[in-house]
Amino acid sequence: MLLVLLALILAMGGVMLLNKALTPEYGLDLAGGTTVTLQPITPDGSDPSEESLNLAVNIIRDRVNGSGISDAEVAIAGDNIVISVPGVGQEEVVKLVGTTAELRFRQVLAIGAGAPTPPGEMSTQAPTPSASPTATGGQGTPAPKPSATAPKPSETAAPSPTGSPAGRGLSSALTDPSPAASAQPGKGATPSAQARQNGTQNGTGAARQGKGATPSAAPSSPAPSTSATPSAQATPPAEESVAGIDLGGIDEAVLKEFQALDCSKKDRGQGAQDEPNKQFAGCSDDGSVKYILDKAAVTGTAIDSAEAGQEPSTGEWLVQLSFKGQGPEQWTKVTTTAYNSQEPRTQVAMVLDGVVISAPVIQEPITGGRAQISGGFTLETATELANQLKYGALPLKFEKGSIDEVSSTLGADQLRGGLIAGAIGLALVVVYSMLYYRGLGVVSVLSLAVATILTYQSVVLLGHFAGFRLSLPHIIGLIVSIGITADSFIVYFERIRDEMKEGRRTLRAAVEVAWVRARRTILIADAVMFIAAVVLYFLAVGGVAGFAFAMGLTTLIDIVVVFMFTKPFVALLARLKFFAKGHPLSGLDAERMSVQPVAGPKTVSQEA
Amino acid sequence: MAGLVSRLYRGEVNVDFVGRQKLWYSLSAFLLVISVAGLIVNGLNLGVEFKGGSVFSFKAPSATIEQVRGTIQEAGAHQVIVQTTNNGWRVTTESLPEQEVTAVQNAVTKRFGGDVTLQVIGGSWGGQVADKAVIGLIVFMLAIILYLTMAFEWKMALAAIVALIHDLVITAGVYAWSGFEVTPATLLGFLTILGYSLYDAVVVFDMIKEVTAKLGTTSKVTYTQAANDALNHTLIRSLNTTLVAILPVAAILFIGTTLFGAGTLKDLSLALFVGMIVGTYSSLCVATPLLVTLKEREPRYRKIAERLAATGGAGAKTEGAKAARQTVTAGAAKAAAADDKRKKK
């Protein structure tokens, strides 16, 4: 046991060294942090309702502190929302919390090139959307590969050459997640779609310019018959379907909007203002493609859970969704409709905050209420999107206000004072233990030392890997928990002394018998603490949850210390003559326990 | 005194905790009434984090934290949290009325120069955080009642929860009367007490359960006496534990605040200090007598009490207590022997 514990401590120490994590991460009150002010924007410029602000605060709090242990604070300030996150350089938080994350699934009705593109430029890089001047890597995707016009018939994980989300696919998690399902290019099909568009529509300047690109797209297309090719050339039916383009069902106003839409402009996102009950003209998030989309078929509120995960065969990061309520039904319906439609209406677009983040071709109706978004994600971006989707959409759109780095709310003097006083208190505990328990005091002091080491290591490791932030209340809580740890072996020692008082067994036997009874008490009492910690951790939010986490942690450490250190150590000491013979300094001497050599119970009753 | 200590050390005390229940109940009732009165009359001095407040931002490159804090306190604010930002200073105070806001702004401008911007902020711990904490507490109490009912019995669960509420109300009362600020840190202190109070009661109840389990129809002691004996048996443990837990807290409260001034430390450690003392007191003097009152109504324990009262008369009580010890220790020995046997097998 002792060796196991030693190994545990050394292992944790090793991990700490390997990760160069030697000090805990501190909370807002001790380390300061970054304060971000978000200003809500309403469509008509009116003040946001208090209700929607409160809702936004709750969602932001979940997003920024989903696990509840990072000690972040979110407050309403006037009409603004102020977020305080511990630690400096937390600008990425702004992105995480400020995004509305209004997700809608809409069937694609028509597609066009995102921007008016000079024909010359188009011809060099056509037919992929990478020709668009605004094409950015977005979402941490790989850099464009200029040579990618050559089709890769079976490579699926590699999106279109832009490396943009164009290559993102969507497939049912329940159906075989074969590459074909997710690799069918969504936006990759754009040029041909554009061609169709032009064929029936003598459109705007943008459309005419796009027309110029079409011929160059066609010749360079090797047109492989497999649908798995990620590049734009992969849509052989393009020419046939040009004539078959159907503008039916498209709202005139939306069509005009679509024609006027220039995705190369910076502010192409329409924010949360896309009405779910209306058709919508929007851009892909790299600006290379624009879409006319049908009414929302499924909205983000139908998302039950969202997790970042990896495609088992390719290792590609993706976001897995499952729907709830009406969601699965709606999802089956829209995928069935899309499957039975003509190009480009076989695509279902996923619109996040008014921007199309992916528009995969539906290979088959997807039942079962699960879906996955794949392509071009990294662990971070997949997790970020999953969190945004999981905790729901903000009811308001926000503009990023000021970002300030703030110092700690407590002076350094407070922390120092707390630590010094705590150290004095612990020293008193040590003195008291030694005076009262003599030899056994050594055990209690060593147990406390082990508990302290384990606690420190846990806090450091949790800070490094789980974002646990130590605040002043946590520190005080940890100091108090030392009392609880101490109680565990006080219970045990008193039991040993009870056994010894009965005077009929050796110390070695007493240590074992007392342990059986003390163990039950310790477990029941610790269970109470642990229930308190678990309930509060899961039900409370903000600092309360963080504190509950620390409470649960110390309770576990208490059990570890008592079971793996105190008990084995006492058993070890019991073999020593010093303790077994009841030396006056051992804390187990007969005189101090008023044990007469003859019979314990009788003596007790006489004195009582 | 030395005699008492050494008798305590040897576990030879026999304080009649349960028998003096009227005294304890009166004392607790008195404390509770005072606490509730304090909560009604004074209310709690809630911190900025709960109620929201005013945030002043200004640039004063040459100022020190102490100067900034002093200036704003002189201008009339009581709760002052000073932070530096990459843009100068950020000072959070309680919600100030308009004229005090002006006073603060003027004082800052006069002392440090420059403009002062004001922002009114809501509580970062208000609304949902507080609501969810309350929901969490209620669920927690139900979970604990359920758990203790399974581990012990519902009467013990009830007694433990009553003692817990007793502790929390009295601690809150101390805050109401002292006017100490209730910050998130204080709230977390309350939560610590909650855990501590229950923990203490559970350890005591565990011993009571063990001792009273041996009571039969022919017992020479009543439930009351057996419970009281169990209390005395764990008295050493209770006192030791409280002392060990309270020493660091007392150090923080007294040394920390005298040396380093008031602040979060003081607010937090007061809650813990009071809560722990009350928690230990309530386990011994509230939870247990309450439990005994509940248990003595059970027919089997009432029968024992009636039989002993009839035969033993006035002296039954003290005699009984002695006998109880004998039963207890003998019983314990038997149990231990059984354990030994199991071990050998």
Side-chain angles (χ1 to χ4, degrees):
Chain A
M1 274 299 183
L2 289 173
L3 289 178
V4 173
L5 183 70
L6 187 68
L8 181 70
I9 291 177
L10 289 179
M12 285 170 77
V15 175
M16 283 163 66
L17 280 177
L18 280 179
N19 289 283
K20 297 200 169 53
L22 297 177
T23 49
E25 301 285 332
Y26 290 108
L28 265 178
D29 57 346
L30 297 175
T34 309
T35 298
V36 181
T37 308
L38 295 178
Q39 276 175 325
I41 306 166
T42 48
D44 52 357
S46 62
D47 288 345
S49 72
E50 196 177 320
E51 198 182 327
S52 57
L53 266 183
N54 281 330
L55 188 59
V57 164
N58 294 346
I59 292 168
I60 290 176
R61 185 180 291 126
D62 281 342
R63 284 192 196 168
V64 77
N65 195 6
S67 59
I69 57 177
S70 74
D71 196 38
E73 289 182 358
V74 183
I76 294 177
D79 281 339
N80 297 341
I81 291 179
V82 179
I83 304 153
S84 306
V85 194
V88 289
Q90 300 277 347
E91 280 80 4
E92 72 268 26
V93 168
V94 181
K95 207 171 128 206
L96 176 68
V97 298
T99 312
T100 320
E102 194 94 57
L103 183 71
R104 314 205 197 287
F105 296 85
R106 295 168 179 266
Q107 190 186 356
V108 173
L109 296 179
I111 299 181
T117 317
E121 201 180 320
M122 195 67 173
S123 64
T124 58
Q125 292 192 16
T128 67
S130 65
S132 163
T134 57
T136 57
Q139 304 275 349
T141 51
K145 295 176 225 159
S147 66
T149 42
K152 299 179 202 162
S154 65
E155 176 48 56
T156 59
S160 74
T162 52
S164 76
R168 273 186 203 154
L170 180 71
S171 67
S172 160
L174 290 186
T175 58
D176 177 19
S178 69
S182 64
Q184 176 73 359
K187 298 163 204 166
T190 313
S192 57
Q194 179 67 55
R196 272 172 267 146
Q197 183 71 28
N198 294 333
T200 52
Q201 183 86 17
N202 290 324
T204 61
R208 255 193 301 276
Q209 288 190 0
K211 199 176 188 176
T214 317
S216 69
S220 74
S221 170
S225 61
T226 162
S227 65
T229 9
S231 64
Q233 303 91 318
T235 39
E239 268 146 300
E240 296 145 39
S241 63
V242 170
I245 184 73
D246 180 16
L247 286 176
I250 296 180
D251 191 85
E252 291 244 338
V254 176
L255 185 61
K256 285 213 177 79
E257 225 177 89
F258 173 71
Q259 286 162 346
L261 191 62
D262 181 356
C263 291
S264 64
K265 283 183 188 160
K266 275 251 167 189
D267 186 27
R268 58 182 174 269
Q270 302 219 334
Q273 271 90 348
D274 68 311
E275 288 278 339
N277 296 324
K278 286 185 185 156
Q279 291 180 359
F280 172 69
C283 298
S284 66
D285 68 349
D286 62 356
S288 62
V289 190
K290 60 180 178 179
Y291 298 87
I292 295 182
L293 303 169
D294 202 359
K295 292 169 188 169
V298 191
T299 55
T301 49
I303 293 177
D304 184 32
S305 71
E307 304 284 339
Q310 264 179 315
E311 165 71 42
S313 53
T314 61
E316 185 193 7
W317 284 100
L318 37 79
V319 176
Q320 290 162 327
L321 301 177
S322 70
F323 297 109
K324 64 183 176 190
Q326 297 274 303
E329 202 179 302
Q330 293 168 334
W331 181 234
T332 307
K333 201 174 146 206
V334 68
T335 51
T336 310
T337 313
Y339 175 67
N340 292 324
S341 301
Q342 292 277 313
E343 281 278 349
R345 297 193 177 185
T346 49
Q347 299 178 5
V348 172
M350 311 179 59
V351 188
L352 184 69
D353 292 344
V355 173
V356 177
I357 55 170
S358 127
V361 171
I362 300 302
Q363 300 278 307
E364 59 196 312
I366 303 174
T367 54
R370 294 184 69 86
Q372 57 191 37
I373 313 172
S374 63
F377 284 120
T378 61
L379 167 64
E380 285 76 24
T381 52
T383 312
E384 186 184 297
L385 181 61
N387 277 340
Q388 288 174 348
L389 296 180
K390 184 162 57 185
Y391 295 122
L394 293 178
L396 295 163
K397 193 186 176 192
F398 288 96
E399 190 170 283
K400 173 179 80 180
S402 61
I403 302 179
D404 282 327
E405 284 179 9
V406 296
S407 68
S408 57
T409 48
L410 291 171
D413 53 336
Q414 287 271 318
L415 176 59
R416 207 171 48 238
L419 290 180
I420 292 176
I424 293 173
L426 285 182
L428 290 174
V429 169
V430 169
V431 170
Y432 179 77
S433 302
M434 296 303 284
L435 281 179
Y436 190 86
Y437 286 112
R438 312 269 166 124
L440 282 181
V442 175
V443 182
S444 62
V445 170
L446 284 177
S447 298
L448 286 179
V450 171
T452 309
I453 292 171
L454 279 176
T455 308
Y456 185 80
Q457 288 182 325
S458 308
V459 167
V460 171
L461 289 179
L462 283 168
H464 194 74
F465 292 110
F468 179 69
R469 295 279 180 164
L470 199 61
S471 67
L472 187 71
H474 290 153
I475 293 181
I476 307 288
L478 295 179
I479 292 177
V480 171
S481 74
I482 284 171
I484 303 243
T485 303
D487 181 72
S488 295
F489 39 82
I490 288 174
V491 166
Y492 181 34
F493 291 167
E494 291 299 326
R495 288 285 191 177
I496 295 178
R497 282 155 47 106
D498 282 350
E499 296 299 327
M500 295 298 286
K501 268 182 216 166
E502 285 164 22
R504 52 180 77 179
R505 64 183 86 242
T506 63
L507 177 63
R508 282 173 71 173
V511 162
E512 295 303 326
V513 175
W515 171 243
V516 174
R517 300 147 125 229
R519 187 176 60 195
R520 193 194 57 179
T521 312
I522 292 168
L523 285 180
I524 291 182
D526 274 346
V528 169
M529 294 295 279
F530 201 67
I531 290 174
V534 170
V535 169
L536 287 175
Y537 175 72
F538 283 108
L539 289 181
V541 290
V544 177
F547 187 76
F549 183 83
M551 195 153 110
L553 177 71
T554 55
T555 309
L556 287 181
I557 288 177
D558 174 35
I559 291 179
V560 168
V561 169
V562 173
F563 275 69
M564 298 180 74
F565 181 79
T566 310
K567 159 68 184 31
F569 195 63
V570 169
L572 206 66
L573 288 184
R575 297 184 191 168
L576 297 179
K577 253 189 188 168
F578 176 77
F579 288 94
K581 299 275 179 196
H583 188 277
L585 288 179
S586 70
L588 292 168
D589 57 308
E591 186 266 327
R592 285 189 72 86
M593 290 194 293
S594 79
V595 175
Q596 307 296 317
V598 197
K602 204 174 157 196
T603 320
V604 173
S605 71
Q606 276 169 4
E607 291 191 3
Chain B
M1 192 62 201
L4 177 68
V5 170
S6 95
R7 275 196 295 135
L8 264 178
Y9 185 93
R10 291 197 294 269
E12 288 162 13
V13 282
N14 196 358
V15 182
D16 189 7
F17 286 103
V18 180
R20 295 194 192 124
Q21 49 180 280
K22 275 192 188 139
L23 172 67
W24 309 129
Y25 287 166
S26 323
L27 181 61
S28 289
F30 176 69
L31 290 175
L32 285 175
V33 166
I34 291 202
S35 299
V36 172
L39 288 171
I40 293 170
V41 176
N42 283 1
L44 290 172
N45 178 15
L46 291 177
V48 177
E49 294 86 347
F50 295 104
K51 284 190 308 185
S54 314
V55 176
F56 299 91
S57 308
F58 51 90
K59 292 185 167 81
S62 57
T64 65
I65 285 193
E66 286 74 23
Q67 285 170 346
V68 171
R69 186 181 289 140
T71 307
I72 289 175
Q73 270 168 345
E74 276 166 34
H78 299 288
Q79 302 171 8
V80 181
I81 301 168
V82 182
Q83 287 172 286
T84 57
T85 72
N86 41 0
N87 262 330
W89 297 91
R90 177 190 154 96
V91 180
T92 312
T93 68
E94 73 269 25
S95 285
L96 295 175
E98 205 171 319
Q99 67 198 78
E100 284 189 29
V101 166
T102 321
V104 169
Q105 285 173 323
N106 288 342
V108 171
T109 312
K110 199 172 148 199
R111 178 95 187 251
F112 306 113
D115 285 340
V116 182
T117 58
L118 171 76
Q119 198 184 20
V120 176
I121 60 156
S124 53
W125 279 64
Q128 204 211 12
V129 178
D131 290 351
K132 287 216 168 174
V134 170
I135 293 172
L137 270 185
I138 292 170
V139 174
F140 159 72
M141 287 203 187
L142 293 177
I144 288 299
I145 290 177
L146 200 68
Y147 175 74
L148 290 184
T149 305
M150 288 191 303
F152 300 136
E153 56 178 310
W154 70 266
K155 286 172 181 167
M156 287 192 174
L158 183 70
I161 291 288
V162 169
L164 171 68
I165 294 170
H166 169 271
D167 299 345
L168 288 180
V169 170
I170 291 180
T171 312
V174 169
Y175 272 83
W177 283 113
S178 68
F180 274 35
E181 193 182 330
V182 176
T183 61
T186 318
L187 194 78
L188 299 179
F190 281 14
L191 291 183
T192 313
I193 295 168
L194 177 145
Y196 186 84
S197 165
L198 276 173
Y199 181 97
D200 207 43
V202 165
V203 172
V204 171
F205 282 179
D206 189 53
M207 181 61 87
I208 292 180
K209 185 189 171 197
E210 187 182 319
V211 168
T212 55
K214 286 141 200 156
L215 289 182
T217 40
T218 54
S219 298
K220 295 199 178 70
V221 289
T222 60
Y223 189 91
T224 309
Q225 288 153 353
N228 197 55
D229 199 68
L231 266 194
N232 279 291
H233 205 77
T234 55
L235 188 59
I236 290 296
R237 191 234 42 115
S238 295
L239 294 180
N240 273 349
T241 300
T242 307
L243 207 58
V244 166
I246 220 165
L247 278 175
V249 174
I252 292 169
L253 179 61
F254 296 114
I255 305 173
T257 49
T258 32
L259 283 186
F260 302 98
T264 310
L265 276 183
K266 181 187 74 174
D267 298 332
L268 178 58
S269 51
L270 178 76
L272 294 174
F273 187 74
V274 175
M276 282 181 176
I277 292 176
V278 181
T280 308
Y281 159 79
S282 72
S283 307
L284 296 174
C285 303
V286 177
T288 309
L290 200 64
L291 173 69
V292 166
T293 310
L294 287 172
K295 293 295 280 187
E296 283 289 359
R297 293 176 177 212
E298 285 179 25
R300 58 180 178 141
Y301 295 122
R302 204 162 51 201
K303 262 183 208 153
I304 300 176
E306 279 165 4
R307 183 169 49 77
L308 287 179
T311 55
K317 203 167 186 176
T318 42
E319 288 299 317
K322 278 183 209 165
R325 283 204 82 82
Q326 231 159 359
T327 336
V328 170
T329 38
K334 230 180 271 166
D339 285 337
D340 266 357
K341 257 184 214 161
R342 255 204 318 257
K343 275 244 147 58
K344 272 166 200 160
K345 277 177 196 167

